[in-house]
Short mmCIF file of all heavy atoms in Angstrom, two decimals:
data_model
loop_
_atom_site.label_atom_id
_atom_site.label_comp_id
_atom_site.label_asym_id
_atom_site.label_seq_id
_atom_site.Cartn_x
_atom_site.Cartn_y
_atom_site.Cartn_z
N ALA A 13 8.83 -3.08 0.97
CA ALA A 13 8.65 -4.51 1.15
C ALA A 13 8.50 -4.87 2.63
O ALA A 13 7.67 -5.70 3.01
CB ALA A 13 9.82 -5.27 0.54
N ALA A 14 9.29 -4.23 3.49
CA ALA A 14 9.23 -4.52 4.91
C ALA A 14 7.85 -4.22 5.48
O ALA A 14 7.29 -5.00 6.26
CB ALA A 14 10.29 -3.72 5.66
N VAL A 15 7.27 -3.09 5.08
CA VAL A 15 5.95 -2.71 5.58
C VAL A 15 4.86 -3.65 5.07
O VAL A 15 4.02 -4.12 5.84
CB VAL A 15 5.64 -1.25 5.20
CG1 VAL A 15 4.16 -0.95 5.42
CG2 VAL A 15 6.51 -0.31 6.01
N LEU A 16 4.87 -3.94 3.78
CA LEU A 16 3.84 -4.82 3.24
C LEU A 16 3.93 -6.23 3.83
O LEU A 16 2.92 -6.91 3.96
CB LEU A 16 3.94 -4.87 1.72
CG LEU A 16 3.60 -3.55 1.00
CD1 LEU A 16 3.73 -3.70 -0.51
CD2 LEU A 16 2.21 -3.05 1.37
N ARG A 17 5.12 -6.64 4.24
CA ARG A 17 5.26 -7.98 4.81
C ARG A 17 4.75 -8.09 6.24
O ARG A 17 4.50 -9.20 6.72
CB ARG A 17 6.72 -8.43 4.73
CG ARG A 17 7.19 -8.67 3.31
CD ARG A 17 8.50 -9.44 3.24
NE ARG A 17 9.02 -9.48 1.88
CZ ARG A 17 8.54 -10.26 0.91
NH1 ARG A 17 7.53 -11.07 1.18
NH2 ARG A 17 9.05 -10.22 -0.31
N ILE A 18 4.56 -6.96 6.94
CA ILE A 18 3.94 -7.06 8.26
C ILE A 18 2.43 -6.83 8.18
O ILE A 18 1.72 -7.00 9.18
CB ILE A 18 4.56 -6.07 9.28
CG1 ILE A 18 4.22 -4.62 8.94
CG2 ILE A 18 6.05 -6.30 9.40
CD1 ILE A 18 4.55 -3.64 10.06
N GLU A 19 1.94 -6.47 7.00
CA GLU A 19 0.51 -6.22 6.83
C GLU A 19 -0.23 -7.40 6.18
O GLU A 19 -1.43 -7.54 6.37
CB GLU A 19 0.27 -4.96 6.00
CG GLU A 19 0.64 -3.68 6.71
CD GLU A 19 -0.25 -3.40 7.91
OE1 GLU A 19 -1.33 -4.01 8.03
OE2 GLU A 19 0.15 -2.59 8.76
N PHE A 20 0.49 -8.22 5.43
CA PHE A 20 -0.17 -9.27 4.66
C PHE A 20 0.54 -10.60 4.82
O PHE A 20 1.70 -10.66 5.27
CB PHE A 20 -0.20 -8.88 3.17
CG PHE A 20 -0.91 -7.58 2.90
CD1 PHE A 20 -0.21 -6.45 2.53
CD2 PHE A 20 -2.29 -7.49 3.04
CE1 PHE A 20 -0.85 -5.25 2.29
CE2 PHE A 20 -2.95 -6.30 2.80
CZ PHE A 20 -2.23 -5.17 2.42
N SER A 21 -0.16 -11.67 4.45
CA SER A 21 0.46 -12.99 4.42
C SER A 21 1.59 -12.98 3.40
O SER A 21 1.62 -12.12 2.50
CB SER A 21 -0.58 -14.04 4.04
OG SER A 21 -1.04 -13.81 2.71
N PRO A 22 2.55 -13.90 3.50
CA PRO A 22 3.68 -13.88 2.56
C PRO A 22 3.26 -13.89 1.09
O PRO A 22 3.82 -13.14 0.28
CB PRO A 22 4.46 -15.15 2.93
CG PRO A 22 4.16 -15.35 4.39
CD PRO A 22 2.73 -14.92 4.56
N GLU A 23 2.28 -14.71 0.75
CA GLU A 23 1.85 -14.79 -0.66
C GLU A 23 1.25 -13.47 -1.13
O GLU A 23 1.58 -12.98 -2.22
CB GLU A 23 0.83 -15.92 -0.82
CG GLU A 23 0.30 -16.06 -2.24
CD GLU A 23 -0.74 -17.15 -2.36
OE1 GLU A 23 -1.00 -17.85 -1.36
OE2 GLU A 23 -1.32 -17.30 -3.46
N VAL A 24 0.38 -12.88 -0.32
CA VAL A 24 -0.26 -11.63 -0.71
C VAL A 24 0.75 -10.49 -0.69
O VAL A 24 0.72 -9.60 -1.56
CB VAL A 24 -1.47 -11.33 0.19
CG1 VAL A 24 -2.04 -9.94 -0.10
CG2 VAL A 24 -2.54 -12.39 -0.01
N ALA A 25 1.66 -10.49 0.28
CA ALA A 25 2.69 -9.45 0.33
C ALA A 25 3.55 -9.49 -0.92
O ALA A 25 3.86 -8.43 -1.51
CB ALA A 25 3.55 -9.63 1.57
N ASP A 26 3.93 -10.68 -1.38
CA ASP A 26 4.73 -10.79 -2.61
C ASP A 26 3.97 -10.19 -3.79
O ASP A 26 4.55 -9.48 -4.63
CB ASP A 26 5.06 -12.26 -2.90
CG ASP A 26 6.12 -12.81 -1.96
OD1 ASP A 26 6.83 -12.01 -1.32
OD2 ASP A 26 6.25 -14.05 -1.88
N ARG A 27 2.68 -10.48 -3.85
CA ARG A 27 1.85 -9.95 -4.94
C ARG A 27 1.75 -8.43 -4.85
O ARG A 27 1.84 -7.73 -5.86
CB ARG A 27 0.47 -10.58 -4.86
CG ARG A 27 -0.44 -10.29 -6.06
CD ARG A 27 -1.84 -10.84 -5.80
NE ARG A 27 -1.80 -12.18 -5.21
CZ ARG A 27 -2.82 -12.74 -4.59
NH1 ARG A 27 -3.96 -12.09 -4.46
NH2 ARG A 27 -2.71 -13.96 -4.09
N ALA A 28 1.57 -7.91 -3.63
CA ALA A 28 1.45 -6.47 -3.45
C ALA A 28 2.74 -5.75 -3.82
O ALA A 28 2.72 -4.70 -4.48
CB ALA A 28 1.07 -6.16 -2.01
N ILE A 29 3.87 -6.30 -3.40
CA ILE A 29 5.17 -5.70 -3.73
C ILE A 29 5.35 -5.66 -5.24
O ILE A 29 5.78 -4.65 -5.82
CB ILE A 29 6.31 -6.48 -3.04
CG1 ILE A 29 6.21 -6.33 -1.52
CG2 ILE A 29 7.67 -6.01 -3.55
CD1 ILE A 29 7.05 -7.33 -0.76
N GLU A 30 5.02 -6.75 -5.89
CA GLU A 30 5.14 -6.82 -7.36
C GLU A 30 4.24 -5.77 -8.01
O GLU A 30 4.66 -5.08 -8.96
CB GLU A 30 4.76 -8.22 -7.83
CG GLU A 30 4.88 -8.40 -9.34
CD GLU A 30 4.49 -9.81 -9.77
OE1 GLU A 30 4.34 -10.68 -8.89
OE2 GLU A 30 4.33 -10.03 -11.00
N ASP A 31 3.02 -5.62 -7.51
CA ASP A 31 2.10 -4.63 -8.07
C ASP A 31 2.67 -3.22 -7.95
O ASP A 31 2.61 -2.43 -8.90
CB ASP A 31 0.75 -4.69 -7.35
CG ASP A 31 -0.06 -5.94 -7.69
OD1 ASP A 31 0.31 -6.63 -8.67
OD2 ASP A 31 -1.04 -6.21 -6.98
N VAL A 32 3.19 -2.89 -6.76
CA VAL A 32 3.70 -1.53 -6.54
C VAL A 32 4.94 -1.27 -7.40
O VAL A 32 5.07 -0.19 -7.99
CB VAL A 32 4.00 -1.31 -5.05
CG1 VAL A 32 4.61 0.08 -4.84
CG2 VAL A 32 2.74 -1.46 -4.21
N LEU A 33 5.84 -2.22 -7.45
CA LEU A 33 7.04 -2.04 -8.28
C LEU A 33 6.67 -1.84 -9.74
O LEU A 33 7.24 -0.99 -10.44
CB LEU A 33 7.98 -3.23 -8.11
CG LEU A 33 8.60 -3.42 -6.73
CD1 LEU A 33 9.50 -4.65 -6.72
CD2 LEU A 33 9.39 -2.19 -6.31
N ARG A 34 5.70 -2.61 -10.20
CA ARG A 34 5.25 -2.47 -11.60
C ARG A 34 4.62 -1.10 -11.82
O ARG A 34 4.93 -0.43 -12.81
CB ARG A 34 4.25 -3.57 -11.93
CG ARG A 34 3.77 -3.53 -13.39
CD ARG A 34 2.54 -4.40 -13.60
NE ARG A 34 1.41 -3.90 -12.81
CZ ARG A 34 0.80 -4.62 -11.87
NH1 ARG A 34 1.18 -5.84 -11.58
NH2 ARG A 34 -0.21 -4.09 -11.19
N ASP A 35 3.76 -0.69 -10.92
CA ASP A 35 3.05 0.58 -11.10
C ASP A 35 3.98 1.78 -11.01
O ASP A 35 3.71 2.82 -11.61
CB ASP A 35 1.93 0.71 -10.06
CG ASP A 35 0.81 -0.29 -10.28
OD1 ASP A 35 0.74 -0.87 -11.38
OD2 ASP A 35 0.01 -0.51 -9.33
N ASN A 36 5.08 1.65 -10.25
CA ASN A 36 6.00 2.77 -10.08
C ASN A 36 7.19 2.72 -11.02
O ASN A 36 7.93 3.68 -11.13
CB ASN A 36 6.52 2.80 -8.63
CG ASN A 36 5.52 3.38 -7.65
OD1 ASN A 36 5.56 4.56 -7.34
ND2 ASN A 36 4.60 2.55 -7.17
N GLY A 37 7.37 1.58 -11.67
CA GLY A 37 8.60 1.40 -12.43
C GLY A 37 9.66 0.87 -11.50
O GLY A 37 9.69 1.18 -10.30
N SER A 38 10.56 0.07 -11.98
CA SER A 38 11.50 -0.66 -11.13
C SER A 38 12.38 0.25 -10.29
O SER A 38 12.88 -0.14 -9.25
CB SER A 38 12.39 -1.58 -11.98
OG SER A 38 13.12 -0.82 -12.92
N ARG A 39 12.59 1.51 -10.72
CA ARG A 39 13.46 2.42 -9.97
C ARG A 39 12.68 3.39 -9.10
O ARG A 39 13.26 4.28 -8.48
CB ARG A 39 14.36 3.19 -10.94
CG ARG A 39 15.33 2.28 -11.70
CD ARG A 39 16.22 3.07 -12.62
NE ARG A 39 17.04 4.03 -11.87
CZ ARG A 39 17.81 4.94 -12.45
NH1 ARG A 39 17.84 5.02 -13.77
NH2 ARG A 39 18.54 5.75 -11.73
N GLY A 40 11.37 3.24 -9.03
CA GLY A 40 10.59 4.05 -8.13
C GLY A 40 10.52 5.51 -8.48
O GLY A 40 10.55 6.38 -7.60
N ARG A 41 10.41 5.80 -9.76
CA ARG A 41 10.27 7.19 -10.19
C ARG A 41 11.40 8.06 -9.66
O ARG A 41 11.23 9.20 -9.24
CB ARG A 41 8.92 7.76 -9.76
CG ARG A 41 7.75 7.06 -10.45
CD ARG A 41 6.43 7.65 -10.00
NE ARG A 41 5.31 6.94 -10.62
CZ ARG A 41 4.04 7.15 -10.31
NH1 ARG A 41 3.73 8.05 -9.40
NH2 ARG A 41 3.09 6.47 -10.91
N HIS A 42 12.58 7.49 -9.64
CA HIS A 42 13.79 8.22 -9.26
C HIS A 42 13.66 8.78 -7.84
O HIS A 42 13.37 8.06 -6.90
CB HIS A 42 14.09 9.30 -10.30
CG HIS A 42 14.13 8.75 -11.69
ND1 HIS A 42 15.14 7.95 -12.14
CD2 HIS A 42 13.27 8.90 -12.72
CE1 HIS A 42 14.91 7.60 -13.40
NE2 HIS A 42 13.78 8.16 -13.78
N ALA A 43 13.81 10.10 -7.66
CA ALA A 43 13.85 10.70 -6.33
C ALA A 43 12.51 10.65 -5.62
O ALA A 43 12.44 10.81 -4.40
CB ALA A 43 14.34 12.14 -6.43
N ALA A 44 11.43 10.46 -6.37
CA ALA A 44 10.11 10.47 -5.76
C ALA A 44 9.85 9.22 -4.93
O ALA A 44 8.92 9.19 -4.12
CB ALA A 44 9.03 10.60 -6.83
N GLY A 45 10.63 8.17 -5.10
CA GLY A 45 10.42 6.95 -4.35
C GLY A 45 9.24 6.16 -4.89
O GLY A 45 8.84 6.30 -6.05
N PHE A 46 8.68 5.32 -4.02
CA PHE A 46 7.58 4.45 -4.41
C PHE A 46 6.30 4.93 -3.74
O PHE A 46 6.27 5.09 -2.52
CB PHE A 46 7.88 3.01 -3.99
CG PHE A 46 9.07 2.42 -4.68
CD1 PHE A 46 10.36 2.66 -4.20
CD2 PHE A 46 8.92 1.63 -5.80
CE1 PHE A 46 11.47 2.12 -4.83
CE2 PHE A 46 10.03 1.08 -6.44
CZ PHE A 46 11.29 1.34 -5.96
N THR A 47 5.25 5.14 -4.49
CA THR A 47 3.98 5.62 -3.93
C THR A 47 2.88 4.59 -4.13
O THR A 47 2.89 3.82 -5.10
CB THR A 47 3.54 6.95 -4.57
OG1 THR A 47 3.34 6.75 -5.97
CG2 THR A 47 4.59 8.03 -4.34
N VAL A 48 1.94 4.59 -3.19
CA VAL A 48 0.80 3.69 -3.23
C VAL A 48 -0.45 4.49 -2.84
O VAL A 48 -0.47 5.10 -1.76
CB VAL A 48 0.96 2.52 -2.23
CG1 VAL A 48 -0.20 1.53 -2.38
CG2 VAL A 48 2.30 1.82 -2.40
N PRO A 49 -1.50 4.51 -3.67
CA PRO A 49 -2.75 5.14 -3.24
C PRO A 49 -3.51 4.18 -2.32
O PRO A 49 -3.68 3.01 -2.64
CB PRO A 49 -3.50 5.36 -4.56
CG PRO A 49 -3.00 4.27 -5.46
CD PRO A 49 -1.57 4.01 -5.06
N VAL A 50 -3.95 4.69 -1.18
CA VAL A 50 -4.63 3.85 -0.19
C VAL A 50 -5.92 4.54 0.24
O VAL A 50 -5.91 5.70 0.64
CB VAL A 50 -3.73 3.59 1.04
CG1 VAL A 50 -4.48 2.72 2.07
CG2 VAL A 50 -2.43 2.92 0.62
N GLY A 51 -7.03 3.82 0.13
CA GLY A 51 -8.33 4.37 0.50
C GLY A 51 -8.63 4.22 1.98
O GLY A 51 -8.32 3.20 2.59
N TYR A 52 -9.23 5.25 2.54
CA TYR A 52 -9.65 5.26 3.95
C TYR A 52 -11.10 5.69 4.06
O TYR A 52 -11.63 6.37 3.19
CB TYR A 52 -8.80 6.23 4.77
CG TYR A 52 -7.37 5.81 5.00
CD1 TYR A 52 -6.40 6.08 4.04
CD2 TYR A 52 -6.99 5.15 6.16
CE1 TYR A 52 -5.08 5.71 4.24
CE2 TYR A 52 -5.67 4.78 6.37
CZ TYR A 52 -4.72 5.06 5.40
OH TYR A 52 -3.41 4.69 5.60
N ARG A 53 -11.70 5.34 5.18
CA ARG A 53 -12.98 5.90 5.58
C ARG A 53 -12.75 6.72 6.85
O ARG A 53 -12.15 6.21 7.81
CB ARG A 53 -14.01 4.80 5.89
CG ARG A 53 -14.43 3.98 4.70
CD ARG A 53 -15.22 2.78 5.14
NE ARG A 53 -14.45 1.97 6.11
CZ ARG A 53 -14.87 0.86 6.65
NH1 ARG A 53 -16.05 0.39 6.34
NH2 ARG A 53 -14.12 0.20 7.51
N VAL A 54 -13.20 7.95 6.86
CA VAL A 54 -13.20 8.76 8.07
C VAL A 54 -14.65 8.79 8.55
O VAL A 54 -15.51 9.40 7.92
CB VAL A 54 -12.66 10.18 7.82
CG1 VAL A 54 -12.73 11.00 9.10
CG2 VAL A 54 -11.23 10.11 7.30
N LEU A 55 -14.91 8.11 9.65
CA LEU A 55 -16.25 7.96 10.20
C LEU A 55 -16.38 8.84 11.44
O LEU A 55 -15.56 8.75 12.36
CB LEU A 55 -16.50 6.50 10.58
CG LEU A 55 -16.44 5.50 9.42
CD1 LEU A 55 -15.98 4.15 9.91
CD2 LEU A 55 -17.79 5.41 8.74
N VAL A 56 -17.40 9.69 11.47
CA VAL A 56 -17.56 10.63 12.57
C VAL A 56 -18.98 10.58 13.10
O VAL A 56 -19.95 10.60 12.32
CB VAL A 56 -17.21 12.07 12.14
CG1 VAL A 56 -17.39 13.04 13.30
CG2 VAL A 56 -15.78 12.15 11.60
N ARG A 57 -19.10 10.52 14.42
CA ARG A 57 -20.41 10.59 15.07
C ARG A 57 -20.33 11.60 16.20
O ARG A 57 -19.46 11.54 17.07
CB ARG A 57 -20.82 9.22 15.63
CG ARG A 57 -22.23 9.22 16.23
CD ARG A 57 -22.68 7.82 16.60
NE ARG A 57 -22.05 7.32 17.82
CZ ARG A 57 -22.28 6.11 18.33
NH1 ARG A 57 -23.10 5.29 17.71
NH2 ARG A 57 -21.66 5.72 19.43
N ASP A 58 -21.27 12.56 16.18
CA ASP A 58 -21.32 13.59 17.20
C ASP A 58 -22.19 13.12 18.37
O ASP A 58 -23.24 12.51 18.17
CB ASP A 58 -21.91 14.88 16.64
CG ASP A 58 -21.10 15.41 15.46
OD1 ASP A 58 -19.86 15.45 15.59
OD2 ASP A 58 -21.70 15.77 14.43
N LYS A 59 -21.76 13.44 19.56
CA LYS A 59 -22.58 13.15 20.75
C LYS A 59 -23.61 14.27 20.90
O LYS A 59 -23.26 15.45 20.86
CB LYS A 59 -21.71 13.06 22.00
CG LYS A 59 -22.51 12.68 23.24
CD LYS A 59 -21.60 12.41 24.42
CE LYS A 59 -22.42 12.03 25.65
NZ LYS A 59 -21.57 11.70 26.82
N PRO A 60 -24.87 13.91 21.07
CA PRO A 60 -25.91 14.94 21.16
C PRO A 60 -25.67 15.89 22.34
O PRO A 60 -25.11 15.51 23.37
CB PRO A 60 -27.20 14.14 21.36
CG PRO A 60 -26.89 12.77 20.88
CD PRO A 60 -25.43 12.55 21.15
#
């Protein structure tokens, strides 16, 4: 919750936290904690 609250507005952060808790189950899959899949782009340009 602390991390999502510095990344999003309060309303969106609340929604994101709810989504993650729902997707992980309220106890966070026990010892595994809470996981979130996050997409990235790795962009590379070579100098000639």
Side-chain angles (χ1 to χ4, degrees):
V15 166
L16 293 180
R17 292 194 188 285
I18 69 168
E19 290 294 343
F20 301 108
S21 65
E23 178 182 356
V24 173
D26 286 343
R27 189 186 317 162
I29 294 165
E30 181 180 349
D31 289 347
V32 177
L33 295 179
R34 182 194 63 241
D35 292 344
N36 282 265
S38 60
R39 296 181 61 187
R41 295 180 182 173
H42 308 289
F46 296 83
T47 61
V48 185
V50 179
Y52 289 85
R53 294 169 304 181
V54 178
L55 298 150
V56 180
R57 184 172 76 181
D58 301 313
K59 183 173 180 177

